[in-house]
Structures are given as C-alpha cells and as structure tokens.
Amino acid sequence: MNKELAFVFPGQGSQSVGMMADLNQAHPQVKETFDEASEVFGQDMWAMAQQGPEALLSQTEVTQPIMFVSGVAAWRAWCAATEIRPALMAGHSLGEYTAYVCAGSISLQQGVELVKRRGELMRDACPGGQGKMAAILGLDDDKAIAVCADAAQGQVVQAVNFNSPGQVVIAGHAEAVDRAVVLAKEAGAKKAMPLSVSVPCHSDLMRTAGDELAEKLRATTIERPVVPVVNNIDAEIELDPARIRDKLIAQLYSPVLWVASVNTMAATGITTLVECGPGKVLCGMSKRVVRGMNVNSLQDQAGFDSTLEALS
C-alpha cells in the first residue's frame, strides 16, 4: 500500500463514445469486466460504450452503469499490471459506488444492479426535461448559494456539487436553474452554463428516488471496505457497512462535497491522486483544491503507462 496514494472515480459527464477502447487493447480485463457486467445489465454494455450514440450515453439510466463499469474495468487492469495499491479511495457522485466495489465492499453484480436502479429512479423522479443542472464558475460558495435562494421563487434550485474553489454546480427545476444562471452572471460569475445531464442530481427533487433506492440498498450486501473510502456527503472516511448504506441513500439528494473530500485525503498524507476511468475531470478539480497535488489518469494507455512510471 502506498500511504501517499489515493484512487478516485468519476461520475456522470466524463462519458464519450469509444471510451476505454485504447485501454482495452492492452488489458483484457477491460472487456472481461464489461462482459461480466453486461450479463447483469441485460444489454451489451461494451457495444453501447463503443457505438453510442452520444445521446444514448447521456441518458442517466445508461450513463451511470457505463461509467461505473468503466471505472471497475480500469481498476482491474491496474491490479493485474502492478502490486501498487492506494491508501484511500473516493468517488464523485456515481463514482462513490465504483469506489466501494473496487474497495471490496460491494460485489460487481450488486454494483451493476444498484447503479442501474439508481439511474432509473433518478430518471423517473424528474422526467421530461423538468429538471436541469448548470455549472457556475467564478463565484464563491456563499454567493452561489445566495443566487439559488434568489432564483428559487417557490421552485427548487440548489448548489449540489462543490467541486473546486470557484466551481459550483447547481440543480433543480429547469426554470429556476435558468433564472439562477442569469443571476449568477449578473453577480459576476465568469461562466454560468447548463450541463448535459438529464436529471437534477443531488437536489431535493431526488428525495423520492432516494426513498425507493433505500429499499434496494437495504437488500444489498455491504462489507467493510478493504481500502477506506471518503464519502461524498460529509467527506469522512466511513468503514461501518450500516453507515455506508445510510450515506449512499442520503447521497442521492445531498450535495457532493468534493472540495472537502480532497482536503480530507490531503490531511491524511495523500499527495497523489489517480483518476480511474474515462476523462480527467477529477484531476483538474482536485489540483485546484490542493495546490501541488500530483494527479494522474488511467483513461488511456498513455496515461496508464505514465502513472505506472511515476509511482514505480
């Protein structure tokens, strides 16, 4: 175990048609993991990831399982290639489920079932474009929260992802989010822009989905993780299976405290993060949270090789 190393797993937004194809060429574990997950999911997930179309991959009930399996596949490829292991794990939103599977707390089969159900419940909780998400850049957290309060006007709009200093994601009713975008620009935001996400994740509009997901989670076997995981809703390391379950339920309608999570990891001595799965979103955000944090990505073979070289 490398006491200065943490692996982090991305959530929705990093998906793209053709993802994981490069990594698959050198690591048979990638396709093997997709095939194993496809048996549970009921469709060929590798074909979906490679062929898309993009509109399909952007549907939350598809995005979540695809991103989840991609992260597990990259982790398995890493484990087959080296004995280097992290001291901590964390995941952003959906990525927290990936982290718990890779940490040995939840089986791959149950993980696929959970994220598939999670995506379906989130889709059904706010159908037909009723909800929306947007990113606000250049406002501090308090100003972003105040903008949401002013824009609500009886509807829901909340700060739901505290991603890095000056980067907050908001979510809620589509009209309220649109009002907040306008107010954020008037308040001095450098950018305020809608996101390509089909549901208002982590907002109060997800509470009904959380209640139903609780039933699925209570039927899921959760073990004490072999690698400790920093959870999203209070940025603490949680090892107790019952509390892990409760926090995964609350996570669906609670803000993602990514800034606090990275700070928690740094406080334990973590100096290097490896983003395990498609994209480099968490790398970019985490560098802005802790200056000097080393970041690496396993999104392709070049990143895989450079990460191995850096850590060997």
Side-chain angles (χ1 to χ4, degrees):
M1 181 185 69
N2 186 329
K3 294 181 179 180
E4 298 179 346
L5 174 65
F7 267 56
V8 295
F9 299 86
Q12 297 186 77
S14 293
Q15 70 276 2
S16 63
V17 177
M19 60 188 182
M20 304 297 290
D22 180 67
L23 209 59
N24 179 59
Q25 293 178 11
H27 304 278
Q29 297 81 14
V30 172
K31 182 64 162 51
E32 289 168 3
T33 302
F34 269 83
D35 289 346
E36 184 181 345
S38 295
E39 293 184 12
V40 182
F41 189 70
Q43 291 178 262
D44 187 338
M45 300 179 75
W46 182 251
M48 295 168 73
Q50 300 311 302
Q51 300 168 16
E54 186 176 338
L56 174 66
L57 294 184
S58 295
Q59 296 173 10
T60 192
E61 68 272 23
V62 174
T63 310
Q64 295 195 41
I66 290 286
M67 284 298 300
F68 163 82
V69 175
S70 296
V72 176
W75 168 251
R76 287 182 170 183
W78 177 265
C79 290
T82 177
E83 294 183 356
I84 298 170
R85 298 292 183 268
L88 288 177
M89 290 182 173
H92 190 287
S93 187
L94 161 75
E96 189 171 347
Y97 287 79
T98 319
Y100 279 119
V101 169
C102 295
S105 190
I106 300 172
S107 70
L108 176 69
Q109 176 182 340
Q110 290 190 305
V112 174
E113 293 173 349
L114 276 172
V115 298
K116 179 181 181 182
R117 186 60 179 148
R118 184 178 188 264
E120 293 167 347
L121 289 169
M122 292 171 71
R123 174 200 64 199
D124 295 343
C126 201
Q130 296 175 23
K132 201 170 190 177
M133 299 186 77
I136 297 177
L137 308 181
L139 292 185
D140 64 33
D141 294 351
D142 289 341
K143 286 184 179 179
I145 291 169
V147 160
C148 290
D150 291 341
Q153 298 179 20
Q155 293 184 309
V156 171
V157 57
Q158 300 164 278
V160 296
N161 293 352
F162 296 95
N163 287 334
S164 65
Q167 184 186 133
V168 177
V169 172
I170 63 174
H173 288 109
E175 300 90 342
V177 171
D178 288 341
R179 289 193 296 270
V181 164
V182 172
L183 291 176
K185 291 177 180 177
E186 293 175 354
K190 295 177 181 178
K191 287 185 179 180
M193 51 196 178
L195 297 178
S196 180
V197 179
S198 60
V199 293
C201 305
H202 301 289
S203 73
D204 281 343
L205 298 178
M206 293 293 106
R207 283 190 177 271
T208 57
D211 292 341
E212 295 189 53
L213 184 63
E215 297 181 16
K216 185 70 176 175
L217 275 161
R218 291 188 185 108
T220 298
T221 300
I222 299 179
E223 306 287 351
R224 183 183 175 92
V226 176
V227 181
V229 177
V230 178
N231 75 83
N232 280 186
I233 69 166
D234 58 16
E236 294 182 354
I237 294 170
E238 189 56 74
L239 299 175
D240 179 76
R243 289 198 292 269
I244 289 171
R245 181 179 287 107
D246 291 342
K247 289 182 179 182
L248 284 174
I249 294 168
Q251 189 232 52
L252 198 61
Y253 49 81
S254 301
V256 173
L257 305 183
W258 190 252
V259 171
S261 296
V262 176
N263 283 327
T264 293
M265 289 186 275
T268 70
I270 298 299
T271 60
T272 300
L273 297 183
V274 175
E275 185 165 359
C276 194
K280 297 181 179 181
V281 172
L282 299 184
C283 287
M285 295 192 309
S286 301
K287 281 196 301 183
R288 291 191 290 273
V289 176
V290 175
R291 298 291 181 181
M293 179 71 77
N294 299 309
V295 296
N296 303 270
S297 170
L298 301 184
Q299 70 166 344
D300 54 28
Q301 189 56 41
F304 199 101
D305 290 339
S306 64
T307 301
L308 268 178
E309 182 179 356
L311 295 176
S312 297

